Amino acid sequence: MSNKPRLSVALRALSLALLMAVLSVAAPARAELRIDITRGKVEPLPLAVTDFIGDTAEARRQGAEIARVIASNLERSGLFSPIDQKAFINPRPSMETLPNFANWRVLNAQALVQGRVMAMEDGRLRVEFRLWDVFAQQQMEGLAYFTVPDNWRRVAHIVSDAIYKRVTGESGYFDTRIVYIAQTGPDNKRVKRLAIMDQDGANHRFLTDGGTLVLTPRFSPTLQEITYLAYYNDIPRVYVFNIDTGRQEVLGDFPNMTFAPRFSPDGKQVIMSMAEGGNSDIYVMNLGTRAVRRLTRHTAIDTAPSFSPDGRSITFESDRGGSQQIYVMDASGANPRRVSFGNGRYATPVWSPRGDLIAFTKISKGRFYIGVMRPDGSGERLLSEGYLVESPTWAPNGRVLMFYREEPVGDRGTRSRILSIDLTGHNEREIVTPVDASDPAWSPLIP
Amino acid sequence: MRLKVVSVLSAVALMAACSSTPDQESTATGGGTQTTAQQTEVESQTQPMGPAAGTVEDFMVNVGDRVFFAFDSSALDARAQSLLQAQAAWLRSYPSVTITVEGHCDERGTREYNLALGDRRASAVKDYLVALGVAPGRVATVSFGKERPVALGHNDAAWSQNRRAVSTLAGVGS
């Protein structure tokens, strides 16, 4: 809680100060360097990321760090294979002249990333980079950013997104954050805390002290708020945590347990479940007027609601047909229809930010799976499986998912961690956290 | 006049201290009124080894605080019903006691569904107790989903212990 305000200050400072300039670009290339990420497993593209040059020792240090963050982001995407810097013939190429492409061709680098960090007289940092197609000998991208020096890491993420976008044609997801539940202690006395970190695990901090059980955090579209379930005084209710102020506020005045909250795509509503006498139904609250509307009225368990990105539909899970299955209804609550018909139970539906898919958890024959299907239930694909995998969350570009995996450790213990996986089902990676982790929620791109 | 009051009080204190010998818990309980202390005294004479009647320990040992459920079910089987009948009888005997029924699940479900299922289990217990004459206002419910297992382990034995509804007492000594 202590350094909460810093994040928002940093965010605001950046949105004001992050000016961008397009560097002069050479004539458009002919056969463009391009990765098609919609296809199955792709061979990672070999690329060279050189340390950004600088005019001072401090600038050079930041330049090396920026290159390290970019290379690490691109490597984790599974689409790029950064070449070991030790092999570089000219490790810090000048920005004033064309690169010596032959030096990079011999390393089989398809792309070259170079850059420069300059301390401005007004105290800001100017970070520029160029992305070269080595074999076509063409500049693919050239941009410069101005920011406060503390934000060098964010600039590295923004540069990574620019490279990703230029090469894949899809927007990136590196300039994002993850909110999740950090867990410590034995299974029967688990301490759970809200925690937040950058997508790559950096800038980690705890938002709550563990005195109260907290679960299922989710970002607002503006990233300024998190909605989650908390058990203050053993009374489970949906709360909103304001990252700006650190304030935690119970959402609404409900007589019974509220849970499974999620923001609407415009951030103006929160959709959630309320339990009443053993029956859970779905409600939506307008955050401006505080008006509450009940959307389902059924004796079954209706929970885990998630809006479509256009706000017109809601997917949720219900056991009204006898077992947990996924349904889709209009945002008004009208016209509910079951969409999952495979073998087993289906849960935790989450609509992709692209609108084309719903991610889910499936339980079949004692195993858990993370999968995706079209909103009409067709085209089911399972991406990962385990003793317990749950809680899928989408990268803002709808091409990568995170989820958590719980595994038994010995007879009595459990290990819980967050993983990411490509929509293709390839490139499963652990997101390294200081302690056990679950319930990840991926933010939109930072505004 | 003043002196007399003091002597009555000290007599009570002595009796309470006596009764606490077989059952250390009851001193803390007694705190309340003279009647409580005297009642405790009588109980511990007739039943020196057992917990004092009307206490949490009495409820735990002589009635049972929890019932268990089948996988993904909130149905009360014969064993659960018989235990809840004893809970209802006990609660009718101690009308100042209120309870919170906690609904719990095993780890083999998703988090949010299990919160709803835990609520369903707690409510099933509440409904049963109310049907047996316990005032609804005396029975609160809360679901902990799969967040508070009692049995560690990843097997049927542990899961069946964790699929439970536990009645916790308030308004009573320990």
Side-chain angles (χ1 to χ4, degrees):
Chain A
M1 301 230 159
S2 52
N3 46 0
K4 226 170 301 115
R6 265 186 54 200
L7 174 70
S8 56
V9 168
L11 273 178
R12 249 192 260 109
L14 202 64
S15 52
L16 293 177
L18 188 69
L19 306 172
M20 202 177 77
V22 180
L23 302 182
S24 58
V25 179
R30 335 134 273 169
E32 280 224 315
L33 188 58
R34 193 173 177 85
I35 300 176
D36 183 356
I37 58 175
T38 62
R39 295 167 63 174
K41 192 166 167 58
V42 295
E43 201 54 41
L45 183 93
L47 95 168
V49 182
T50 60
D51 286 355
F52 285 22
I53 57 178
D55 48 0
T56 63
E58 176 63 7
R60 280 191 289 279
R61 191 192 62 78
Q62 281 172 326
E65 287 292 303
I66 287 170
R68 194 179 52 75
V69 170
I70 294 170
S72 161
N73 279 338
L74 296 176
E75 192 279 327
R76 268 181 295 104
S77 78
L79 304 176
F80 300 87
S81 164
I83 295 166
D84 189 340
Q85 289 193 337
K86 289 196 203 81
F88 293 176
I89 296 160
N90 179 5
R92 291 169 188 253
S94 159
M95 292 286 283
E96 308 299 337
T97 57
L98 277 179
N100 183 343
F101 291 108
N103 281 349
W104 303 103
R105 270 200 304 270
V106 296
L107 302 175
N108 195 34
Q110 304 279 312
L112 168 68
V113 177
Q114 64 170 166
R116 171 162 52 194
V117 177
M118 286 188 292
M120 311 281 288
E121 278 181 8
D122 62 6
R124 288 184 307 162
L125 219 55
R126 180 179 192 275
V127 181
E128 61 177 285
F129 86 99
R130 292 177 195 266
L131 169 68
W132 298 94
D133 180 335
V134 168
F135 285 83
Q137 305 195 16
Q138 298 276 358
Q139 178 175 312
M140 294 180 74
E141 192 69 280
L143 294 166
Y145 304 89
F146 299 86
T147 188
V148 292
D150 281 353
N151 272 323
W152 66 265
R153 183 175 273 279
R154 247 205 94 189
V155 171
H157 292 315
I158 291 168
V159 169
S160 306
D161 281 331
I163 295 168
Y164 182 98
K165 182 170 189 179
R166 189 64 184 81
V167 176
T168 68
E170 303 273 346
S171 61
Y173 55 85
F174 300 116
D175 188 26
T176 54
R177 292 202 167 88
I178 309 296
V179 62
Y180 75 98
I181 298 298
Q183 305 189 16
T184 47
D187 286 4
N188 57 349
K189 287 202 173 108
R190 207 75 160 152
V191 172
K192 300 196 173 185
R193 308 165 71 180
L194 271 183
I196 192 169
M197 61 188 175
D198 293 352
Q199 140 285 135
D200 59 356
N203 289 320
H204 185 280
R205 58 202 179 92
F206 295 105
L207 299 176
T208 62
D209 62 10
T212 296
L213 174 62
V214 290
L215 300 169
T216 63
R218 278 96 194 223
F219 275 111
S220 74
T222 62
L223 268 81
Q224 289 307 317
E225 288 176 318
I226 294 162
T227 185
Y228 63 107
L229 173 62
Y231 276 73
Y232 288 101
N233 302 315
D234 272 359
I235 301 171
R237 292 290 186 276
V238 168
Y239 283 74
V240 170
F241 184 102
N242 189 309
I243 299 178
D244 244 343
T245 62
R247 254 180 68 106
Q248 299 169 63
E249 183 196 357
V250 68
L251 196 58
D253 182 22
F254 292 93
N256 303 300
M257 173 173 73
T258 48
F259 62 110
R262 227 176 252 285
F263 282 96
S264 61
D266 64 5
K268 292 177 178 162
Q269 302 179 91
V270 168
I271 191 166
M272 64 190 132
S273 282
M274 183 178 77
E276 192 172 12
N279 173 32
S280 295
D281 277 305
I282 294 171
Y283 295 73
V284 64
M285 173 182 264
N286 181 311
L287 295 174
T289 65
R290 298 272 145 171
V292 175
R293 230 162 7 104
R294 182 172 180 169
L295 299 182
T296 67
R297 195 175 290 274
H298 199 288
T299 53
I301 289 173
D302 293 338
T303 191
S306 165
F307 274 101
S308 62
D310 64 8
R312 288 192 196 151
S313 303
I314 293 164
T315 182
F316 63 102
E317 64 173 72
S318 176
D319 67 350
R320 58 181 66 188
S323 74
Q324 255 176 308
Q325 296 294 339
I326 294 173
Y327 290 72
V328 171
M329 63 183 175
D330 301 347
S332 65
N335 197 21
R337 63 249 181 221
R338 178 172 164 183
V339 299
S340 64
F341 288 97
N343 294 320
R345 302 157 68 186
Y346 289 78
T348 76
V350 190
W351 220 301
S352 157
R354 302 168 72 95
D356 57 344
L357 293 168
I358 290 171
F360 57 82
T361 304
K362 177 176 180 166
I363 309 169
S364 180
K365 299 191 176 81
R367 297 291 285 179
F368 283 61
Y369 303 83
I370 298 294
V372 294
M373 60 172 67
R374 292 192 200 98
D376 65 2
S378 66
E380 173 179 327
R381 281 193 300 123
L382 300 179
L383 307 180
S384 190
E385 65 113 29
Y387 176 79
L388 190 149
V389 288
E390 192 186 336
S391 194
T393 180
W394 291 94
N397 71 354
R399 295 296 187 193
V400 184
L401 292 135
M402 283 189 193
F403 58 95
Y404 79 90
R405 166 171 288 149
E406 243 176 59
E407 286 166 317
V409 175
D411 284 345
R412 300 159 74 80
T414 302
R415 165 115 164 82
S416 183
R417 58 212 169 103
I418 298 173
L419 298 132
S420 70
I421 194 163
D422 291 359
L423 189 51
T424 56
H426 296 288
N427 194 35
E428 188 170 292
R429 305 274 180 129
E430 179 177 350
I431 310 300
V432 178
T433 48
V435 295
D436 273 18
S438 71
D439 302 35
W442 208 323
S443 81
L445 282 170
I446 297 173
Chain B
M1 188 66 179
R2 226 180 201 194
L3 212 89
K4 207 175 174 184
V5 172
V6 171
S7 67
V8 168
L9 278 177
S10 59
V12 171
L14 271 173
M15 283 163 71
C18 269
S19 76
S20 73
T21 323
D23 172 22
Q24 297 187 340
E25 306 267 63
S26 55
T27 336
T29 320
T33 59
Q34 291 182 25
T35 347
T36 316
Q38 278 156 358
Q39 215 171 39
T40 312
E41 171 71 2
V42 172
E43 284 296 327
S44 40
Q45 276 168 356
T46 52
Q47 212 179 21
M49 299 308 287
T55 59
V56 169
E57 206 187 358
D58 173 37
F59 181 76
M60 303 274 286
V61 172
N62 296 320
V63 179
D65 68 340
R66 64 197 60 197
V67 296
F68 300 99
F69 297 88
F71 177 71
D72 193 20
S73 168
S74 58
L76 300 167
D77 62 15
R79 213 174 129 201
Q81 290 185 13
S82 130
L83 187 134
L84 292 178
Q85 284 158 19
Q87 280 195 2
W90 193 92
L91 287 167
R92 285 195 304 267
S93 308
Y94 301 98
S96 64
V97 176
T98 60
I99 67 168
T100 298
V101 183
E102 298 175 353
H104 298 272
C105 304
D106 66 28
E107 63 180 1
R108 303 311 288 157
T110 47
R111 197 179 303 292
E112 289 171 342
Y113 180 83
N114 277 3
L115 289 168
L117 179 60
D119 181 72
R120 219 182 227 174
R121 286 174 174 161
S123 296
V125 167
K126 173 175 179 169
D127 291 349
Y128 197 78
L129 293 174
V130 168
L132 293 174
V134 179
R138 294 175 63 196
V139 187
T141 60
V142 63
S143 172
F144 285 98
K146 59 176 171 177
E147 307 306 317
R148 292 278 182 265
V150 279
L152 302 179
H154 308 284
N155 49 52
D156 285 321
W159 299 331
S160 59
Q161 291 294 301
N162 292 332
R163 291 190 297 264
R164 69 200 191 278
V166 181
S167 301
T168 58
L169 308 189
V172 64
S174 52

